[in-house]
Amino acid sequence: MKAKMNRRQMLATLGGFSAAALATALPARADDDTWQAPANPERIKPSPVSGTTPPGLPVTGLRGRVVVVGGGMAGATVAKFLRLWGGAGIDVTLIERETVYTSNILSNLVLNGNVAMNSLYFDYAKLRTNYGVKVLQANVVSIDSVRREVAYSQNGVQGKAAYDRLVVAPGIDFDFPPGLTTPEAQLAVPHAWKAGAQTLALRDQLRAMAPGGTFILSIPAKPYRCPPGPYERACVVADWLKRNKPGSKVLVLDANPAITAEVATFTQAFNVTYRGIVTYVPNAAVTSVDVAGRNVNTTMGPFHGDVLNVIPPHRAGSILAGTGLVNDAAGRFAMVDVLSYESTAIRGIHVLGDAAATTQPKAGHIANQEAKVCADAIVRAFAGQAPDPAPVTNSACYSPISATSASWLTAVFAYDPVSKTMVAVPASSGEANGPSGDHYQDMFVWFNTLMTDSFA
Amino acid sequence: MQRLILAFIALAAAPFAATAQTAVSPPGRLLASNCFQCHATDGRGGFEKLVGKSSGEIYHELVEMRAENKPGDIMTRHAVGYTDAQLKLIADYFATRR
């Protein structure tokens, strides 16, 4: 693969939309009707200025250039820890098309009005000032793995960033079913699985729904982002409908044969807490959507609803299409060596987070940990050392079950040298005994600490 | 006697290991970074501040939480995910932080 690949094959033209077109001067409010990405207070020059050297970075004597593509949970974390652990000699450039990251975590609480949309925005100012990360707001145009360069476009100006190591953390994109392939259809039937405009579109449809209506939520087959997330959403919406739209129903159409996470908590919630409101239909994979008729067609038959929320099957972010990095059996995600997250297809390129095919869940908390394993491995590589042979990662997550209660699930993963995969330590995997108000409060401590560890 | 010899070998090897390892990736740092999501970077806050505690204090708390075996306690779940040696490395790392 490596020997045969020529540079042209690596040049993938990417259709990323312009972040500049979305940027406006006004920050969004919780009750905004339209979503606007807040403007970055700092104007970014087309070529990166040299990184500052904040006090506190260790002196390691190491030198190297790392380009990070994608400023989500994994991308922000790897940029921070490369500087924090590698020192000022590790030049880190983060390329991200948006001015801010919008957290998917807690975004279900925008639907019931508990959380303001703008409390989910995280910018890159602290990565610059605290760690000297160079941040480029730009669209990646192509990746050249032979010359080790990333070509980008920034406000119409073309530029190139050279790397010794490239980290790509583009998140996910969707395979939309027939009926949902146009932007209009995708707003009429939102996925709300990338927080922002989609979240507000779904919230507004729920607010406009007549009491007694039916909310349909469809869940794609595994692997998808945030395993408990769709069930959590069903619960949060059921709770909100119960209080605000009496007589309304929630219909959960799951492509999977059973609930995929926090089985005890969600089974109890669907069967007892929201009995008579939530109906759970397993093995119902969406085959097409009739937007005008408000019908979701599935392998278990057609279902009619008033507000439709179809979460389509996922694949690695489209930025990876055509790069050769998407090499798992299904052709959807990027295979990596979980000691370093280096691609199994192309040397020198690491793939992190939801875009990678690993045995770990696709979720922000563990993406943060994957990023630390990757940062440590790259720092060691610059010193001529092999990666840590026994990495450990953990996944933890709080899930709101109502407007006032939450649950949690957690797992610790250890490297298994035989299968060369991360394997959950059995006794470490589990869920809370049930939802509680204390867990709801803890959820915000977790969220704030996790986001600070990733972005500041 | 055997233990003494091992200690001597470890001491003799230490200067080389230390220059190579502490500069690049101190022991326990990557393991301990699993705690940062909830206890802040280098254990400086979050649910409970870990900096300022001794290694023994942190290690014994972790061992206790593991031994309590309360599956409904999120820290029990985390503590059982690590070997004794790993818990010791994590505790040692936080004890070096300020």
Side-chain angles (χ1 to χ4, degrees):
Chain A
M1 173 86 200
K2 197 177 76 176
K4 278 186 187 165
M5 176 169 303
N6 68 35
R7 190 149 59 85
R8 292 295 146 215
Q9 283 173 293
M10 269 304 293
L11 295 176
T13 305
L14 308 160
F17 59 87
S18 164
L22 284 173
T24 68
L26 293 171
R29 299 192 314 272
D31 56 350
D32 268 358
D33 286 338
T34 53
W35 182 79
Q36 298 167 319
N40 192 328
E42 260 181 284
R43 291 305 302 169
I44 304 155
K45 297 197 175 79
S47 56
V49 292
S50 55
T52 53
T53 306
L57 290 186
V59 178
T60 62
L62 297 176
R63 301 196 71 79
R65 295 165 305 174
V66 183
V67 172
V68 180
V69 173
M73 301 297 290
T77 305
V78 78
K80 166 178 166 172
F81 281 89
L82 279 164
R83 295 281 293 180
L84 183 63
W85 289 347
I90 310 296
D91 184 281
V92 178
T93 302
L94 174 66
I95 304 178
E96 162 58 43
R97 65 184 176 188
E98 305 287 351
T99 54
V100 292
Y101 173 68
T102 305
S103 170
N104 294 303
I105 299 176
L106 294 195
S107 66
N108 282 334
L109 291 178
V110 172
L111 301 177
N112 69 358
N114 273 25
V115 160
M117 194 79 230
N118 63 7
S119 68
L120 302 183
Y121 297 149
F122 295 86
D123 70 19
Y124 303 100
K126 295 270 172 58
L127 291 183
R128 290 162 180 259
T129 55
N130 292 356
Y131 304 98
V133 173
K134 298 170 185 171
V135 182
L136 272 178
Q137 191 206 334
N139 283 301
V140 168
V141 178
S142 63
I143 295 164
D144 182 336
S145 65
V146 176
R147 295 175 76 159
R148 298 206 170 196
E149 281 177 354
V150 176
Y152 59 84
S153 168
Q154 188 181 48
N155 299 325
V157 180
Q158 309 297 311
K160 280 181 180 171
Y163 67 82
D164 300 310
R165 295 275 173 161
L166 173 65
V167 181
V168 278
I172 51 142
D173 273 303
F174 299 111
D175 284 347
F176 288 101
L180 283 189
T181 51
T182 67
E184 297 74 31
Q186 289 159 20
L187 264 186
V189 178
H191 50 76
W193 216 237
K194 289 185 185 183
Q198 281 277 319
T199 312
L200 295 180
L202 180 59
R203 181 199 67 181
D204 291 349
Q205 288 191 24
L206 286 166
R207 285 182 179 178
M209 188 173 87
T214 297
F215 168 60
I216 293 183
L217 164 61
S218 88
I219 306 170
K222 291 197 292 187
Y224 61 87
R225 165 180 279 174
C226 186
Y231 310 103
E232 163 192 311
R233 176 176 291 175
C235 290
V236 167
V237 172
D239 170 64
W240 183 81
L241 290 172
K242 191 173 162 180
R243 288 178 288 112
N244 294 280
K245 310 266 180 184
S248 302
K249 308 281 184 205
V250 174
L251 186 52
V252 180
L253 306 177
D254 196 344
N256 298 288
I259 291 171
T260 62
E262 287 181 72
V263 177
T265 295
F266 291 122
T267 301
Q268 170 80 9
F270 289 177
N271 294 344
V272 180
T273 316
Y274 302 118
R275 185 185 176 86
I277 299 173
V278 173
T279 302
Y280 177 73
V281 183
N283 299 307
V286 173
T287 52
S288 67
V289 177
D290 168 13
V291 175
R294 310 310 281 172
N295 290 313
V296 179
N297 300 309
T298 77
T299 48
M300 294 296 282
F303 295 89
H304 181 78
D306 298 287
V307 174
L308 311 183
N309 174 205
V310 171
I311 304 171
H314 299 8
R315 60 174 57 250
S318 60
I319 216 163
L320 297 188
T323 61
L325 292 164
V326 181
N327 61 340
D328 71 342
R332 306 183 82 85
F333 297 102
M335 290 175 70
V336 293
D337 174 355
V338 286
L339 292 180
S340 63
Y341 293 86
E342 190 169 16
S343 161
T344 60
I346 305 172
R347 300 287 295 172
I349 301 183
H350 302 249
V351 184
L352 286 179
D354 297 352
T358 78
T359 53
Q360 300 159 114
K362 299 187 184 303
H365 182 111
I366 198 161
N368 163 299
Q369 197 57 38
E370 293 174 12
K372 290 167 183 161
V373 174
C374 177
D376 184 71
I378 290 176
V379 168
R380 288 174 190 243
F382 285 141
Q385 296 177 11
D388 186 327
V392 175
T393 59
N394 82 93
S395 183
C397 178
Y398 284 82
S399 314
I401 304 298
S402 73
T404 55
S405 66
S407 173
W408 54 256
L409 80 166
T410 191
V412 176
F413 293 82
Y415 184 71
D416 169 31
V418 176
S419 65
K420 295 184 162 56
T421 62
M422 299 301 290
V423 175
V425 180
S428 77
S429 302
E431 56 179 296
N433 287 335
S436 77
D438 282 351
H439 297 332
Y440 189 87
Q441 298 303 319
D442 285 348
M443 177 169 64
F444 291 93
V445 179
W446 164 69
F447 176 72
N448 291 329
T449 313
L450 169 63
M451 299 314 282
T452 305
D453 188 46
S454 305
F455 285 84
Chain B
M1 184 61 191
Q2 198 181 5
R3 185 175 288 180
L4 207 73
I5 291 167
L6 280 173
F8 176 75
I9 291 168
L11 258 174
F16 306 99
T19 44
Q21 294 295 323
T22 54
V24 175
S25 185
R29 185 176 69 184
L30 183 55
L31 276 174
S33 71
N34 275 290
C35 312
F36 297 179
Q37 288 99 319
C38 290
H39 294 273
T41 307
D42 279 340
R44 296 202 181 93
F47 283 99
E48 184 186 355
K49 210 168 149 182
L50 302 176
V51 285
K53 295 188 183 208
S54 71
S55 170
E57 224 177 318
I58 297 170
Y59 173 73
H60 287 297
E61 268 188 65
L62 286 166
V63 169
E64 212 169 284
M65 287 182 287
R66 195 170 57 176
E68 277 174 352
N69 193 24
K70 289 191 289 192
D73 185 302
I74 199 164
M75 275 313 300
T76 287
R77 291 291 190 177
H78 280 277
V80 299
Y82 299 84
T83 65
D84 226 46
Q86 288 172 327
L87 293 182
K88 191 79 178 56
L89 280 169
I90 289 170
D92 285 350
Y93 176 76
F94 283 119
T96 67
R97 299 289 94 192
R98 290 293 170 265

